Amino acid sequence: MAIDFSFTADQEAFRTAARAFLQKEVAPIVAEMDEREEFPAASVRRMQEEGYFGIPIPEQYGGLGLGKVGYCLFLEEVGKVDASHGVIVGAHTSLGTTPILYYGTEEQKRRWLVPAAKGERLLAFSLTEPGSGSDSGAVRTVAEKKGDHWVLTGNKIYVSNGREAHTVVLLAGNDVKLGPNGGVTAFLVDTDTAGFKVGRCEKKMGLHGTSTAELILDHVELGPDHVLGEVGKGFHVAMTALDVGRVSLGAASLGGIEAAMGEALQFSQNRTQFGLPISEFQAIQFKLADMAMRAQALRLLVYHAAAHQDRLGTDPRAWTRLERAEKTRESSIVKCLASEWASEVIDEALQIHGGLGYIRGTPVERAYRDARISEIFEGTNEIQRLVISRDLIARGW
Ligand SMILES: Cc1cc2nc3c(=O)[nH]c(=O)nc-3n(C[C@H](O)[C@H](O)[C@H](O)COP(=O)(O)OP(=O)(O)OC[C@H]3O[C@@H](n4cnc5c(N)ncnc54)[C@H](O)[C@@H]3O)c2cc1C
């Protein structure tokens, strides 16, 4: 019996505890957070105290040691309650801690990973620039070598957690002529370093609890101990983090789908038109059936990918080319399907609510605004389709 789709008793207990925590600490503040467009500092602090900012990090580095499966269980539960909290945890954990765990030296893990996993310091990840979005190798922030130090100058944009983070995993060009193959390096930049400044914070359609910040680097001087991984290999660091991020984004989208389906189901059983609950109409029943099909399929995809990443381990040097390729294809498939299914399901849930679904403050209205970005960030879905199809052409199915 090689296939077992069940969670362990410990994983189920973790999910139950997380669900209770989120209902108590997060659910009550979400509507106001969304309306006021405020970073939810108090609930984030509570999550940090519970260890939820270090779920997949091994205990020896201050985390809960629950792997990607445990991490996805948590993000699925968060996704049911609020997408902003999911992005805050995801930007910190998938994109901030993964690069340090996978590529950091022992000294870097002690200095940056342990406090991050314990929830004492918040991380962000900064790849995007005004001229470098999907073409992420076209980074123009310059990292110039001066003796054994580096001097970083440039502008980054759209950084989740950028306003609040203590440290940013930041990609800069050590040789812009070389591009992604040898020309981009990952740095650990503490936000209190001289020359580092947070610029404009974007007003957004959704995700009102998150900051999306511009970062300005004006001759930020860093010692050699701030280089993460090898000089020129920053693109590998970023792509490894994004593979983790894409699966965890899938888990949060799954939670969003399940919550929207629950809202739609309940509403359709209570709303009466033409003398009947609208759940009696086949047009509504078919929408609900389509939601259930997507939730069921996505659950299998997300946890298959998470378990796969747990089996591969956290040492990229140990992976074969084939293992890397399989992991990347699978992550892109999860991200693409999850984000599109979440948009579709939430759209249909809003439709089932009729006019009420369009009224500011209903959960489904907020979910509709929050969900759309998942088709864009962590690589647009067009880019995911490029990744999938290129691998398909190279390796076959
Ligand atoms: C709320 C929010 C949070 C974010 N958080 C972060 C973060 O924490 N860290 C970070 O580094 N970045 C972050 N981003 C940036 C995000 O990852 C980028 O916006 C995204 O990768 C797309 O880049 P772009 O906006 O420059 O669009 P562009 O790359 O300019 O793309 C525009 C359009 O062209 C399409 N396109 C581009 N190239 C191709 C191609 N070769 N083939 C087909 N279609 C193509 C795209 O799919 C898209 O539809 C965030 C963005 C937002 C809005």
Side-chain angles (χ1 to χ4, degrees):
M1 256 298 252
I3 296 180
D4 181 358
F5 290 115
S6 54
F7 294 110
T8 65
D10 283 352
Q11 287 165 337
E12 291 291 5
F14 174 70
R15 184 202 282 278
T16 304
R19 192 178 288 168
F21 172 88
L22 292 163
Q23 279 309 318
K24 179 164 178 274
E25 305 282 348
V26 176
I29 60 118
V30 171
E32 197 180 336
M33 172 209 76
D34 177 58
E35 200 53 41
R36 295 162 70 113
E37 306 200 16
E38 266 176 14
F39 181 80
S43 52
V44 165
R45 184 90 289 275
R46 285 288 300 117
M47 287 164 94
Q48 289 172 320
E49 285 164 4
E50 294 296 315
Y52 292 138
F53 277 68
I55 297 167
I57 307 302
E59 288 168 280
Q60 68 180 119
Y61 296 118
L64 297 186
L66 298 178
K68 305 294 184 295
V69 171
Y71 176 47
C72 284
L73 278 170
F74 185 70
L75 277 183
E76 182 187 346
E77 292 306 315
V78 177
K80 291 178 187 171
V81 178
D82 176 48
S84 286
H85 282 77
V87 168
I88 295 165
V89 175
H92 168 93
T93 312
S94 305
L95 305 181
T97 62
T98 301
I100 312 173
L101 177 65
Y102 286 41
Y103 291 92
T105 61
E106 197 54 35
E107 201 270 328
Q108 287 174 326
K109 288 177 192 172
R110 295 273 154 227
R111 182 166 163 194
W112 279 288
L113 182 60
V114 170
K118 285 183 170 172
E120 293 161 4
R121 287 172 70 85
L122 187 68
L123 303 181
F125 169 85
S126 176
L127 176 61
T128 306
E129 298 183 0
S132 166
S134 299
D135 186 7
S136 53
V139 160
R140 285 291 170 271
T141 293
V142 174
E144 201 186 344
K145 193 105 195 261
K146 291 257 173 81
D148 70 341
H149 277 54
W150 293 87
V151 180
L152 271 57
T153 305
N155 273 41
K156 310 296 275 187
I157 57 166
Y158 296 165
V159 183
S160 303
N161 293 347
R163 186 179 53 201
E164 298 82 14
H166 299 98
T167 302
V168 183
V169 174
L170 189 142
L171 283 296
N174 54 289
D175 186 343
V176 291
K177 291 189 302 299
L178 290 177
N181 300 314
V184 179
T185 300
F187 292 90
L188 286 156
V189 183
D190 293 327
T191 56
D192 59 1
T193 312
F196 182 96
K197 217 168 68 187
V198 176
R200 171 192 161 90
C201 288
E202 304 295 343
K203 299 274 283 175
K204 305 188 293 293
M205 170 180 173
L207 292 186
H208 286 173
T210 69
S211 64
T212 306
E214 177 191 24
L215 305 180
I216 301 161
L217 298 113
D218 181 8
H219 296 88
V220 172
E221 196 174 323
L222 302 173
D225 48 334
H226 290 252
V227 174
L228 188 55
E230 288 176 52
V231 172
K233 298 275 180 69
F235 204 65
H236 291 289
V237 176
M239 293 306 130
T240 302
L242 285 167
D243 278 352
V244 174
R246 288 167 184 169
V247 173
S248 65
L249 181 152
S253 298
L254 171 61
I257 287 175
E258 290 165 327
M261 181 167 65
E263 294 279 342
L265 190 57
Q266 195 182 34
F267 182 84
S268 67
Q269 288 169 312
N270 291 323
R271 174 69 175 165
T272 300
Q273 287 293 281
F274 302 98
L276 288 171
I278 60 170
S279 61
E280 294 295 317
F281 305 135
Q282 200 175 54
I284 302 290
Q285 291 168 351
F286 281 13
K287 289 186 199 299
L288 294 170
D290 285 345
M291 292 176 188
M293 285 191 266
R294 281 160 173 61
Q296 176 92 3
L298 188 56
R299 191 179 293 151
L300 296 177
L301 278 173
V302 164
Y303 290 103
H304 184 278
H308 182 193
Q309 292 194 351
D310 278 339
R311 277 197 306 280
L312 277 181
T314 60
D315 180 2
R317 286 164 306 187
W319 302 336
T320 63
R321 279 172 80 91
L322 177 63
E323 283 171 339
R324 273 175 201 276
E326 285 173 345
K327 171 175 71 75
T328 296
R329 184 202 286 186
E330 186 173 33
S331 309
S332 289
I333 288 174
V334 170
K335 192 274 185 187
C336 215
L337 276 176
S339 57
E340 290 173 13
W341 284 350
S343 291
E344 286 170 25
V345 167
I346 293 166
D347 184 47
E348 288 291 46
L350 191 153
Q351 187 72 15
I352 288 174
H353 281 71
L356 184 63
Y358 196 71
I359 301 301
R360 191 75 182 240
T362 49
V364 75
E365 180 266 344
R366 186 178 64 251
Y368 184 83
R369 285 184 284 110
D370 284 346
R372 185 62 177 83
I373 184 60
S374 294
E375 295 180 53
I376 298 170
F377 64 9
E378 304 223 10
T380 66
N381 284 8
E382 288 77 17
I383 296 302
Q384 306 309 322
R385 285 185 165 85
L386 277 183
V387 170
I388 297 162
S389 59
R390 279 180 185 156
D391 184 57
L392 200 53
I393 290 162
R395 291 196 300 122
W397 179 237

